[in-house]
Amino acid sequence: MSDTKAPKISIVVFIDALGWDVLKGRRFMDARLPFRRKLQSVFGFSSACIPSILTGLRPREHRHWSFFYYSPATSPFKPLRLLGLLPRSLVDRGRVRNLISKVVKRFYNYTGYFQLYNIPFKYIDKFDYCEKNDLFVPGGMNRGQNIFDHLKRAGVPYHVSNWRDPEARNLEALKADLITGKITFALLYMAAMDALLHQVGKESTQVDQKLAWYEAQLEEVLRIAAEHYDQVRLFVCSDHGMATVHTQVDLMSKVEALGLAFGRDYTATYDSTMGRFWFHNPATRERISTLLQQVPGGRTLPQQELEQLGCDFEGNQFGELIFLMDAGVLIVPSHMGVKPITGMHGYHPDHPDSDASLLSNVEPPHDPKAITDIFHLMRAESGA
Ligand SMILES: [Zn+2]
């Protein structure tokens, strides 16, 4: 049978939120994947981290960060403003929001991940959205080239998961391609760990159970791959970790108590870990900046720090002022959700809970230190 085997396959398994600290004190494929590295994450949510993994670029360069940004001139959401006239008790139900998100996604032909979250409909015409296109195909980035552009140009026969599908289906699709022996590179996308960690937190035994499940699944993938390839190189990586929430702050109410007019004096969007502000007159900037200095559990990021993080955007696209909470402090309510949850990420990348992981059965190429290095690893492994 060995003479019919293909020479080599490299499999990169992406497990969302499999943080370095999530793995601490746990056994996960220790013997199978002895090369283990902590990777520095990128400042932002998965909407920023995944584009950085796929391109090797930082948010300033690929222009993917938080989903919504102030841009009334280009906002595609003007028709949705009418929904703001309906009672919030109706249109803000999770199921109703999901349904409206689906309709909008189909109407505009968005192929990316689209979710309206909890942005108020009465303000939605002020915002545009940064992930309209599928990131996991050639040409998927707002700016720059992703690994799929390189794979396509180099003519590499590869497998990539459909990120819209559940994990079990993605595993089946990968195994089906491995059995053909025709691919030389694979990227398996596993998203469920992130949702579990948000829900139960990293200390939960449910996380141990989930890790045991991943281990069993990946052993099976390795077994099948070894039947069809002489050499199987396996890399397990993630985009960020998960902090346990210990404090909630109602940032929105504090800002609204200033009595300024949203949309006329200022525009704000509240992500789970940061408030992002645009000012429409200098007096408002002064008043909001002063207020934020008195909010405990967070700080305004100086421009120089945003530059170091690669999150200084042309035209301050994603906010003229970024107020970031300390790790474990959650903005509730926010425009991403109204309910408190156990775990959150999207804090400063210097915090240990933000660190991502890279585990492998071979020494990884190019001495990776940050999640952007996964891109270079994928190019080296695929030859693209
Ligand atoms: Zn998440």
Side-chain angles (χ1 to χ4, degrees):
M1 171 121 184
S2 69
D3 58 337
T4 64
K5 283 189 190 182
K8 188 189 85 144
I9 177 102
S10 295
I11 305 171
V12 175
V13 179
F14 171 84
I15 301 181
D16 200 335
L18 186 72
W20 185 253
D21 242 50
V22 172
L23 289 175
K24 197 170 75 183
R26 291 187 159 108
R27 301 187 68 81
F28 175 65
M29 304 190 81
D30 291 15
R32 184 65 90 172
L33 304 175
F35 300 89
R36 304 172 89 84
R37 281 162 180 260
K38 178 169 80 179
L39 299 183
Q40 173 147 64
S41 189
V42 154
F43 179 39
F45 299 95
S46 294
S47 55
C49 298
I50 292 174
S52 285
I53 289 174
L54 296 177
T55 61
L57 304 172
R58 299 205 290 172
R60 168 181 57 225
E61 294 141 1
H62 56 56
R63 298 194 182 174
H64 292 259
W65 204 42
S66 287
F67 287 129
F68 290 92
Y69 60 93
Y70 178 71
S71 184
T74 63
S75 177
F77 305 123
K78 290 182 183 75
L80 295 182
R81 205 175 181 272
L82 293 172
L83 294 169
L85 301 173
L86 296 170
R88 291 197 69 169
S89 58
L90 172 69
V91 290
D92 284 354
R93 279 185 205 154
R95 282 170 61 189
V96 176
R97 284 246 162 198
N98 278 335
L99 183 68
I100 298 167
S101 296
K102 272 187 193 155
V103 171
V104 170
K105 186 175 155 79
R106 197 165 307 165
F107 181 78
Y108 288 110
N109 237 331
Y110 293 161
T111 53
Y113 176 86
F114 183 76
Q115 176 57 253
L116 283 167
Y117 292 100
N118 217 40
I119 295 255
F121 285 119
K122 63 179 170 175
Y123 303 139
I124 197 145
D125 59 328
K126 313 256 180 284
F127 295 100
D128 205 339
Y129 192 82
C130 83
E131 195 180 310
K132 292 171 183 158
N133 300 319
D134 186 352
L135 304 173
F136 288 77
V137 295
M141 310 315 297
N142 290 341
R143 187 66 68 92
Q145 299 207 325
N146 65 21
I147 185 64
F148 307 105
D149 289 300
H150 293 277
L151 290 164
K152 185 184 174 191
R153 190 179 318 113
V156 175
Y158 70 94
H159 170 93
V160 61
S161 301
N162 182 345
W163 53 268
R164 302 165 188 86
D165 282 343
E167 292 184 332
R169 197 176 302 165
N170 286 343
L171 282 160
E172 290 316 308
L174 170 63
K175 289 181 214 166
D177 272 1
L178 289 173
I179 286 165
T180 68
K182 291 202 172 103
I183 53 166
T184 58
F185 177 79
L187 177 56
L188 174 65
Y189 180 87
M190 305 290 256
M193 188 64 156
D194 180 68
L196 178 68
L197 284 164
H198 279 300
Q199 196 193 332
V200 303
K202 65 178 174 174
E203 325 290 349
S204 169
T205 53
Q206 288 186 57
V207 174
D208 297 287
Q209 288 160 22
K210 185 69 182 172
L211 286 171
W213 183 83
Y214 282 127
E215 186 156 346
Q217 298 304 316
L218 294 180
E219 286 294 343
E220 174 73 358
V221 166
L222 282 169
R223 189 187 63 76
I224 291 170
E227 282 175 10
H228 300 275
Y229 295 86
D230 285 327
Q231 194 196 358
V232 182
R233 297 166 67 88
L234 181 69
F235 302 87
V236 173
C237 67
S238 60
D239 48 352
H240 52 71
M242 189 72 65
T244 303
V245 173
H246 55 72
T247 306
Q248 294 169 32
V249 171
D250 185 353
L251 185 62
M252 211 187 286
S253 295
K254 290 178 199 293
V255 173
E256 284 173 2
L258 291 174
L260 299 163
F262 192 107
R264 201 180 67 224
D265 292 327
Y266 76 106
T267 301
T269 183
Y270 301 92
D271 302 333
S272 310
T273 65
M274 58 179 122
R276 298 183 286 122
F277 299 87
W278 292 263
F279 306 109
H280 309 316
N281 59 63
T284 304
R285 173 189 284 272
E286 189 60 36
R287 288 192 63 192
I288 290 180
S289 302
T290 305
L291 168 81
L292 292 174
Q293 280 166 21
Q294 290 145 27
V295 175
R299 66 189 176 95
T300 297
L301 295 180
Q303 184 60 23
Q304 193 193 1
E305 191 169 351
L306 289 167
E307 284 168 20
Q308 283 162 1
L309 294 167
C311 294
D312 52 322
F313 296 93
E314 199 178 311
N316 292 321
Q317 181 183 350
F318 292 94
E320 295 171 9
L321 185 157
I322 312 295
F323 186 77
L324 173 65
M325 307 317 294
D326 299 337
V329 181
L330 188 70
I331 297 176
V332 182
S334 75
H335 290 162
M336 290 178 94
V338 280
K339 289 194 204 120
I341 45 176
T342 312
M344 189 40 78
H345 56 92
Y347 297 106
H348 200 289
D350 283 351
H351 192 277
D353 275 326
S354 298
D355 288 331
S357 321
L358 176 66
L359 319 173
S360 52
N361 64 352
V362 290
E363 182 77 58
H366 298 322
D367 189 24
K369 291 186 166 67
I371 61 167
T372 44
D373 294 327
I374 299 169
F375 167 78
H376 304 289
L377 179 150
M378 292 193 290
R379 281 195 75 182
E381 288 297 317
S382 63

